[in-house]
Amino acid sequence: MTDLPPKPATKPTRPHFSSGPCAKPPGWTPEKLDIAVMGRSHRSKLGKVRLQYAIDLMREMLRLPDTHRIGIVPGSDTGAFEMAMWTMLGAKPVTTLAWESFGEGWVTDAVKQLKLDPTVVRADYGQLPDLGAVDWSSDVLFTWNGTTSGVRVPNGDWIAETREGLSFADTTSAVFAYDIPWDKIDVATFSWQKVLGGEGGHGVLILGPRAVERLENYTPAWPLPKVFRLVSKGKLAEGVFKGETINTPSMLAVEDAIFALEWAKSLGGLDGLIARSDANAAALDKIVEDRDWLGHLAADPATRSKTSVCLTVDGADEALIKKMASLLEAEHAAYDVAGYRDAPPGLRIWCGATVDTADIEALGPWLDWAYSSARQ
């Protein structure tokens, strides 16, 4: 039996190492929420004001142009993306891009549920398909940042400016970490629990003018449940994009998101958030470079995620990764760092802006200890 590396003497004071919903912004406490709105109807004057305020903050932080609408919808990012698919697809041919689990989910919806016979363009985990081969005469569905593979599109240059089809971007682990070219995006979706560290259950749907035109001039061949209906009497239901949600939202979750957005604004907005994510990703890169048993699942740095960073572990199988994650959690050093269940066995480290770079830097010795301990 080889000697184990020493267990680090100090732990991060705020362990935010999370693959998603646990990474609250530094300084978050329940007392920071506006409790006056708790228990009030979302249709009350106060409720409407707070929902509109959340939308206004998102627009400001994302630098979203006035041409695009923002709506808070049910079902997290999945609900928002499926709402877009069910209401707008079928008018044109469909191309779906998949290089990780959630992209494959949209393939399943398009093939098995909507039966659209889409063109499916795939790449293995860690890789990106040939974006230059995408046919923009069709509607195109893709994930901007592959949360479960750590692979992202490099930019928006590959999206045709004169596209005939609509661009549908699942941006749930990309917004607030990258500068999204909104002129290239017709539909975008995300959820608060990823880069903002907010509570789950609510999705955000962003529609550009071409998406609105599709909604108002196309009726799908299939029935739509109430929570998907964005059109009334042939016109966009504008209230949805002014805080008049289709179903009842959690005002606690709304206040939580508002806190995160105000925190983001205090950092300098989008530029501040991007800088924090960049610093965190760089700190994790240094950890990987210093260890021959660690690697990046995404081989190309140009398409490597800066938020949901997926790592390979030499000789690892599912059991070893599970043991490492359990050891780290028991020491309150890192939470939820096992890779996604459908991905190759490995680690997934959240490097979004809600994490302090010092916490990422502190992770290296803990990974050494967990790796050696789990192999004994």
Side-chain angles (χ1 to χ4, degrees), residues 22-96:
C22 298
K24 292 294 185 191
W28 184 95
T29 66
E31 292 75 18
K32 296 291 182 68
L33 305 183
D34 186 346
I35 62 172
V37 76
M38 299 297 105
R40 294 293 303 274
S41 169
H42 63 294
R43 295 189 179 92
S44 68
K45 183 178 180 179
L46 177 59
K48 289 180 178 179
V49 165
R50 297 303 283 177
L51 284 160
Q52 183 64 62
Y53 181 49
I55 289 172
D56 292 343
L57 281 173
M58 285 187 282
R59 181 178 298 279
E60 181 181 356
M61 292 302 99
L62 292 174
R63 298 200 283 248
L64 196 72
D66 292 340
T67 54
H68 287 56
R69 293 166 169 85
I70 304 176
I72 298 169
V73 299
S76 194
D77 176 64
T78 300
F81 204 83
E82 291 189 332
M83 176 183 289
M85 292 180 68
W86 257 252
T87 54
M88 284 178 265
L89 292 185
K92 284 186 174 293
V94 176
T95 297
T96 57

Side-chain angles (χ1 to χ4, degrees), residues 198-213:
E199 292 302 307
H202 297 72
V204 176
L205 176 66
I206 297 176
L207 301 179
R210 299 178 72 247
V212 173
E213 182 182 12

Side-chain angles (χ1 to χ4, degrees), residues 22-365:
C22 298
K24 292 294 185 191
W28 184 95
T29 66
E31 292 75 18
K32 296 291 182 68
L33 305 183
D34 186 346
I35 62 172
V37 76
M38 299 297 105
R40 294 293 303 274
S41 169
H42 63 294
R43 295 189 179 92
S44 68
K45 183 178 180 179
L46 177 59
K48 289 180 178 179
V49 165
R50 297 303 283 177
L51 284 160
Q52 183 64 62
Y53 181 49
I55 289 172
D56 292 343
L57 281 173
M58 285 187 282
R59 181 178 298 279
E60 181 181 356
M61 292 302 99
L62 292 174
R63 298 200 283 248
L64 196 72
D66 292 340
T67 54
H68 287 56
R69 293 166 169 85
I70 304 176
I72 298 169
V73 299
S76 194
D77 176 64
T78 300
F81 204 83
E82 291 189 332
M83 176 183 289
M85 292 180 68
W86 257 252
T87 54
M88 284 178 265
L89 292 185
K92 284 186 174 293
V94 176
T95 297
T96 57
L97 309 181
W99 57 89
E100 50 93 50
S101 178
F102 289 101
E104 280 293 340
W106 312 140
V107 171
T108 298
D109 283 359
V111 174
K112 295 185 178 181
Q113 304 302 322
L114 297 177
K115 304 185 186 306
L116 292 170
D117 191 25
T119 297
V120 181
V121 183
R122 289 186 171 92
D124 292 335
Y125 275 81
Q127 304 296 319
L128 196 66
D130 181 5
L131 300 178
V134 173
D135 180 4
W136 284 102
S137 66
S138 65
D139 293 333
V140 179
L141 284 62
F142 68 98
T143 53
W144 191 280
N145 187 97
T147 308
T148 65
S149 70
V151 177
R152 62 179 172 89
V153 297
N155 47 50
D157 294 350
W158 61 284
I159 302 174
E161 292 185 8
T162 57
R163 59 193 176 277
E164 296 177 34
L166 301 180
S167 57
F168 291 73
D170 174 353
T171 63
T172 199
S173 57
V175 288
F176 305 106
Y178 305 101
D179 196 358
I180 307 294
W182 293 111
D183 61 317
K184 297 290 189 75
I185 302 300
D186 299 307
V187 179
T189 65
F190 68 91
S191 54
W192 293 329
Q193 75 263 29
K194 287 295 191 296
V195 182
L196 287 178
E199 292 302 307
H202 297 72
V204 176
L205 176 66
I206 297 176
L207 301 179
R210 299 178 72 247
V212 173
E213 182 182 12
R214 172 73 61 84
L215 283 167
E216 292 184 338
N217 291 281
Y218 166 69
T219 301
W222 42 81
L224 294 175
K226 179 180 179 180
V227 293
F228 281 7
R229 296 172 197 163
L230 294 170
V231 174
S232 177
K233 298 179 180 179
K235 293 295 182 181
L236 186 72
E238 293 285 1
V240 174
F241 304 93
K242 298 177 181 178
E244 298 172 14
T245 55
I246 296 173
N247 69 330
T248 304
S250 163
M251 295 309 297
L252 174 60
V254 171
E255 289 303 311
D256 182 59
I258 286 173
F259 173 84
L261 289 160
E262 289 179 335
W263 170 80
K265 188 173 181 178
S266 74
L267 296 176
L270 182 61
D271 290 337
L273 296 179
I274 291 173
R276 284 178 65 94
S277 291
D278 286 351
N280 290 338
L284 186 58
D285 281 346
K286 182 66 167 57
I287 291 173
V288 174
E289 290 170 3
D290 290 345
R291 289 157 178 81
D292 58 7
W293 57 272
L294 270 180
H296 283 283
L297 182 59
D300 183 359
T303 58
R304 184 181 298 157
S305 173
K306 296 185 295 182
T307 56
S308 183
V309 185
C310 297
L311 304 179
T312 60
V313 176
D314 187 44
D317 57 14
E318 185 177 347
L320 179 69
I321 296 300
K322 184 176 181 180
K323 189 171 183 181
M324 286 183 66
S326 295
L327 287 167
L328 292 165
E329 182 170 342
E331 294 294 331
H332 305 291
Y335 297 133
D336 307 323
V337 294
Y340 194 72
R341 59 181 179 269
D342 294 335
L347 300 173
R348 182 170 56 160
I349 311 300
W350 185 253
C351 288
T354 53
V355 179
D356 287 331
T357 302
D359 286 345
I360 296 290
E361 294 170 340
L363 182 61

